[in-house]
């Protein structure tokens, strides 16, 4: 670490450099404005019109945040300079100060505050935040903790800076529609998505319709709507999932409270009753690999309409045994490239009628997915496709080696403990890497083995580790989820805390 | 127009230039890749990392489309070059060929195909596409024509190319959240929106919460949800609007079919009944200025919760008599800057509880608005704020003069007709321009005056003018809407057709 004075000097010179560059932007802008005023409207801009944007982006990228943070062009500016936004537990103007008593947050979330209004009658809703205990209620306010931020891929994109940047011109795609395409979906992006699945071998796209959503959540809501019965005299479809399951399926179905469907609970309740002709229709959510436990899953009921959530079905997190071939598959950029903030997902849909109904839902809620997002997704997916299986450029190689390293290191610690255990995952052949690969799940599904640790989340919290308890996934409180997909800083803090915890148990230093 | 051979040569040299520039990108990328591989992960990219993106953007901007079209970096590529996407009625590889029998489309839309499922019982739904006649039905498939594309501002952004471009780095805002901001809303963008309203004087933002949506449609749906009664034993709120009204209010309320509200029809039905204590709650949509007729509006019922749709409340389209001060105001980038494709809207909300409920709705449907969209909105709004009242840089000056010119020219033609008339709008004092300004509405609300022209839309269609009939707005079929906010090409075609139509009526050339 730098000494006080030289550190201050470094920060000062970094700010100075930034201000110098930004002044040059203003001068550029001024001289080009004079030129531009002479141009008739509608003619092509003068060469060099991208210079101010480039200078600005490079100046911000050059701001030093000690490798524990990042400055952004749309960040808060102080004294004309964007501030460093530091990783968890780091602070100071250049993110070089580590907070000594900071808990390891293996559960960072985006804070969905959810009032479950629109519920008919008394429903059993599990209260997700406080206590994780089931509550009977007709109406409640609660906060759902949603998915962890997949920042483990950020270093990949820093390295691929030149290929992955994109300039958005001021006049780029102002229209709702693409040429000859009322649905406002970029045909080039559709093409790249087909190439991507073919390169990775994780989904069959032939004979499938492709639909875009503002994140996969939007597509999941659209899918529930689309698979519900058309006939208003039919009983509402029951929407189900198998324990442990991602809580947003239940939240979405309950919150939007479409009269054609309702949350029906877990598949285990219906496994022997679903054949009965009086049971009505079922919609089963299958997450494969599963969030939280990383296992590849198949539907439990064989009479269901199935929504396959393949968010994590990428070589970062799992072997690819064969391409996905399900009727309705949902993917998200968030877990492929790590761009959770872009809110881009897509669905591969076999049935034209289901596709049409999903499309209607998307269009009536927000017309279409942002053009800016589609442009960025196109650029990122192109980089991924072109780097696939190219040594040193392959995002899956990078993602897998990062995730596998984290899993291996966490496993090493936990294996020395009698108090905790991890889900058991075994090496499997992967068609993408053409070799047997060790596990690399997105999340650790930790179990507290001691009789008294009925609330595993609370047991960890007492030791400074923030996790997401089993009850969130409708599972036993002896389980809790640790996110492994966050920044390297987050992971190292988690590991340090786990080492301390396990060392305490055995009375010796484990690593 | 160019002769055949020289035209071909021009196209050929434009393509050659593009391919040369793109080859230089590949070389840049190759040499920088070699450099980048030597960099440790996570370090700052080498200066020059934005060059390939800049070169690509400038090369695409330089492709010649004869002023009647545009090439985009995410457009379909043929022979490695993005193709020109031509304006309506133009074609050929450089958009120089005009189609002789092309109708004037004053109603371009983005094709929302909508199955109204989720309806309880028999409902009266107006069929919007075919015939514009009311139909009784329980369930139907129909296509809603949504708002016209506001491409009239494209030349402004071509001119402001240098200031409005933005470079999105590959690692930009991958996280869901902003720093210390779980709601994932850019604080800088909030600040710019407050500055914007203060510069324009069209809304009071003090003491208001600001909420982002993926377009304003999403916020309108969220607002209906938020203003509906909380108590499940209350009767559903009735959602109303005054004729003529934007049809998406009715479509959205019907389609999403929340049990706490239902479409209640037009305000005129309730004007004398709404005071009755048995009438239940009302939610009134007020569009000001109104789509389609451009008039400033106020609520009709004084017991209602009001959603004020201020999409068109900008100096392009209307005088600003005073800042908007309503409880729940919705704005959209689409009609401010013309970026309909970006899908960005915002709401200004007085009441914390209403704000919280809207926020829940947005978050459970799609977590947050795309970071890429927020970044672009920030850049565009900054350009607008900084150019406001600066001669030659002011988007409102540009927007107003374009719209006023179109209105004036159309009025000149229609005033010579006995068959057609336009809505009457008078010059008014505008606090933004600090002067009395002539009208400049977004749409012409044309009336067919002849007894036999009961279907004004059909009468225009027979003469090659595509418009949107009165029934779409729940109004008399003697009215039809002509969009004036599209490209200059679209407007010129509309005007030519109107000139021909009015000339036929009088038997002489009117212009």
């Amino acid at each position: 670490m730098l000494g006080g004075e030289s550190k201050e000097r470094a920060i000062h010179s970094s700010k100075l450099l930034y201000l110098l560059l930004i002044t040059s932007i203003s001068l550029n802008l001024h001289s080009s404005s004079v030129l531009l005023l002479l141009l008739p409207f509608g003619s092509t801009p003068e060469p060099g019109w991208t210079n101010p944007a480039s200078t600005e982006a490079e100046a911000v990228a050059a701001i030093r945040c000690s490798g524990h943070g990042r400055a952004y062009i749309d960040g808060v500016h102080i004294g004309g300079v964007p501030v460093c936004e530091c990783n968890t537990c780091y602070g100071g103007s250049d993110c070089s100060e580590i907070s000594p008593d900071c808990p390891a947050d293996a559960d960072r979330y985006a804070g969905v505050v959810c009032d479950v209004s629109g519920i008919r009658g008394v429903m059993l809703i599990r209260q997700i935040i406080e206590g994780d205990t089931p509550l009977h209620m007709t109406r409640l306010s609660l906060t759902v903790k949603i998915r962890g931020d997949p920042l483990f891929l950020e270093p990949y994109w820093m390295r691929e800076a030149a290929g992955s940047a994109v300039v958005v011109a001021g006049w780029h795609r102002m229209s709702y529609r693409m040429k000859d395409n009322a649905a406002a979906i970029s045909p080039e992006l559709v093409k790249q998505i087909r190439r991507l699945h073919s390169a990775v071998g994780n989904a069959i796209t032939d004979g499938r319709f492709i639909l875009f959503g503002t994140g996969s959540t939007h597509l999941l809501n659209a899918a529930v709507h689309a698979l519900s019965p058309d006939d208003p005299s039919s009983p509402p479809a029951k929407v189900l999932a198998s324990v442990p399951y991602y809580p947003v399926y239940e939240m979405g179905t309950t919150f939007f409270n479409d009269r054609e469907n309702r949350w029906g609970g877990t598949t285990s309740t219906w496994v022997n009753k679903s054949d009965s002709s009086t049971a009505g229709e079922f919609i089963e959510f299958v997450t494969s690999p599963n969030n939280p436990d990383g296992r590849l899953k198949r539907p439990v009921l064989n009479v269901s309409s199935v929504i396959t959530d393949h968010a994590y079905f990428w070589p970062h997190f799992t072997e690819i045994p064969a391409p996905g071939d399900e009727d309705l598959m949902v993917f998200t950029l968030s877990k492929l490239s790590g761009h959770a903030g872009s809110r881009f997902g897509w669905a591969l849909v076999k049935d034209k009628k289901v596709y049409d109904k999903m499309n209607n839902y998307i269009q009536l809620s927000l017309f279409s997915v942002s053009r800016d997002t589609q442009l960025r997704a196109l650029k990122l997916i192109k980089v991924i496709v072109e780097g696939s299986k190219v040594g040193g450029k392959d995002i899956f190689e990078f993602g897998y080696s990062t995730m596998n390293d984290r899993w291996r290191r966490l496993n090493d610690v936990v294996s020395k403990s009698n108090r905790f255990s991890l889900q058991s995952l075994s090496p499997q052949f992967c068609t993408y890497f053409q070799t047997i690969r060790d596990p690399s799940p997105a999340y650790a599904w930790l179990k507290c083995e001691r009789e008294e640790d009925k609330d595993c989340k609370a047991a960890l919290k007492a030791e400074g580790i923030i996790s997401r308890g089993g009850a969130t996934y409708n599972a036993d409180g002896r389980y809790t989820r640790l996110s492994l997909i966050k920044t390297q800083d987050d992971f190292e803090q988690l590991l340090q805390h786990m080492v301390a915890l396990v060392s305490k148990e055995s009375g010796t230093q484990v690593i």
Side-chain angles (χ1 to χ4, degrees), chain A:
Chain A
M1 213 181 274
L2 290 167
E5 202 181 311
S6 62
K7 194 181 108 187
E8 247 175 55
R9 216 177 309 132
I11 296 173
H12 184 74
S13 70
S14 158
K15 282 189 183 171
L16 210 67
L17 182 70
Y18 177 83
L19 287 170
L20 269 170
L21 285 166
I22 289 305
T23 313
S24 104
I25 293 184
S26 312
L27 289 173
N28 274 344
L29 264 179
H30 187 76
S31 56
S32 34
S33 301
V34 174
L35 272 175
L36 288 168
L37 282 178
L38 305 173
L39 279 176
F41 278 121
S43 50
T44 306
E46 284 292 290
W49 60 269
T50 60
N51 292 354
S54 293
T55 310
E56 179 190 30
E58 296 206 9
V60 173
I63 291 173
R64 291 180 201 136
C65 305
S66 311
H68 300 295
R70 192 80 57 231
Y72 296 102
I73 51 178
D74 59 355
V76 172
H77 286 52
I78 294 179
V81 183
V83 299
C84 284
E85 302 187 16
C86 305
N87 293 347
T88 321
C89 300
Y90 286 86
S93 62
D94 65 345
C95 304
S96 63
E97 292 159 22
I98 185 158
S99 152
D101 297 320
C102 182
D105 187 351
D107 182 41
R108 174 67 58 189
Y109 63 95
V112 172
V113 178
C114 162
D115 74 322
V116 183
S117 58
I119 300 173
R120 273 163 258 187
V122 178
M123 290 190 65
L124 177 68
I125 304 280
R126 289 170 302 101
Q127 190 178 16
I128 288 171
I129 278 260
E130 308 293 339
D132 284 338
T133 49
L135 288 176
H136 283 273
M137 53 190 74
T138 50
R139 181 167 302 268
L140 80 173
S141 281
L142 76 172
T143 301
V144 196
K145 298 184 175 182
I146 61 166
R147 294 174 290 193
D149 274 341
L151 286 167
F152 74 105
L153 290 168
E154 198 185 60
Y156 176 84
W157 294 109
M158 297 290 293
R159 196 182 63 171
E160 296 295 328
S164 62
V166 64
V167 172
V168 191
W171 65 89
H172 177 75
R173 297 265 179 230
M174 295 175 65
S175 176
Y176 290 114
R177 68 193 176 105
M178 302 299 236
K179 186 178 162 58
D180 302 329
N181 178 345
I185 272 192
S186 157
E188 283 295 300
L189 183 48
V190 168
K191 203 162 86 185
Q192 290 297 333
I193 287 174
R194 293 192 195 272
R195 282 182 65 199
L196 170 72
H197 285 301
S198 149
V200 177
N202 69 336
I204 291 170
T205 61
D206 289 347
R208 256 80 173 187
F209 298 96
I210 296 190
L211 189 73
F212 296 168
T214 299
S216 62
T217 311
H218 198 216
L219 290 163
L220 298 172
N221 295 333
V224 169
H225 164 80
L227 294 173
S228 297
D230 275 335
D231 180 357
S233 65
S234 303
K238 295 172 192 72
V239 183
L240 312 170
S242 299
V243 172
Y245 60 84
Y246 177 51
V248 170
Y249 303 142
E250 183 176 350
M251 297 301 306
T253 305
T254 307
F255 185 86
F256 293 108
N257 196 28
D258 196 327
R259 70 174 292 288
E260 282 107 10
N261 59 65
R262 64 174 180 82
W263 183 249
T266 66
T267 52
S268 58
T269 324
W270 294 97
V271 78
N272 293 321
K273 297 183 230 163
S274 61
D275 290 335
S276 139
S277 59
T278 57
E281 286 187 46
F282 294 88
I283 298 170
E284 182 176 346
F285 271 109
V286 176
T287 325
S288 184
N290 196 31
N291 172 3
D293 63 14
R295 293 181 212 284
L296 294 177
K297 301 285 284 275
R298 302 186 60 77
V300 169
L301 307 178
N302 58 16
V303 293
S304 313
S305 296
V306 176
I307 300 169
T308 308
D309 184 345
H310 271 327
Y312 299 88
F313 196 48
W314 299 104
H316 311 310
F317 308 116
T318 179
E319 75 272 14
I320 307 294
D325 190 21
E326 293 88 354
D327 287 354
L328 198 170
M329 299 182 269
V330 177
F331 290 87
T332 166
L333 192 67
S334 164
K335 301 306 181 297
L336 160 64
S337 73
H339 293 81
S342 291
R343 315 304 312 125
F344 182 74
W346 65 96
L348 304 177
V349 184
K350 236 183 211 168
D351 188 88
K352 174 77 165 68
K353 197 175 147 253
V354 173
Y355 164 77
D356 285 340
K357 280 187 80 178
M358 287 180 72
N359 215 0
N360 297 343
Y361 185 96
I362 303 274
Q363 295 194 358
L364 259 187
S365 51
L366 35 84
F367 292 166
S368 68
V369 173
S370 165
R371 284 279 160 288
D372 314 324
T373 302
Q374 291 190 47
L375 172 62
R376 190 154 188 232
L378 176 67
K379 194 71 169 186
L380 298 169
I381 293 177
K382 256 186 173 168
V383 171
I384 292 172
V385 171
E386 281 159 18
S388 146
K389 295 179 184 164
V390 178
K393 301 280 284 180
D394 187 342
I395 194 172
F396 302 112
E397 216 175 83
F398 175 83
Y400 170 71
S401 85
T402 306
M403 294 308 298
N404 174 249
D405 179 71
R406 294 182 182 185
W407 174 250
R408 208 179 29 72
R409 288 169 66 198
L410 181 67
N411 235 322
D412 283 352
V413 176
V414 175
S415 66
K416 295 187 176 63
S417 163
N418 292 318
R419 186 177 176 191
F420 303 108
S421 67
L422 289 174
Q423 76 262 44
S424 141
L425 296 168
S426 54
Q428 296 290 344
F429 184 80
C430 175
T431 55
Y432 180 77
F433 292 123
Q434 284 292 311
T435 183
I436 290 173
R437 70 196 278 294
D438 283 330
S440 59
Y443 306 108
W445 186 231
L446 192 83
K447 188 180 180 189
C448 281
E449 299 281 355
R450 283 187 192 160
E451 177 56 30
E452 64 271 30
D453 284 345
K454 287 189 176 61
D455 185 346
C456 194
K457 174 185 159 185
L460 289 190
K461 198 171 176 191
E463 304 291 335
I465 299 170
I466 300 166
S467 65
R468 199 174 307 184
T472 297
Y473 303 91
N474 209 354
D476 193 325
R478 294 198 164 277
Y479 290 89
T480 197
R481 195 193 80 166
L482 302 171
S483 174
L484 305 179
I485 60 178
K486 298 166 72 183
T487 64
Q488 198 63 31
D489 282 343
D490 281 313
F491 177 73
E492 299 299 344
Q493 281 147 21
L494 167 65
L495 203 71
Q496 275 175 28
H497 278 75
M498 283 303 296
V499 166
L501 188 53
V502 174
S503 299
K504 209 153 79 171
E505 177 190 337
S506 62
T508 56
Q509 187 67 31
V510 293
I511 280 174

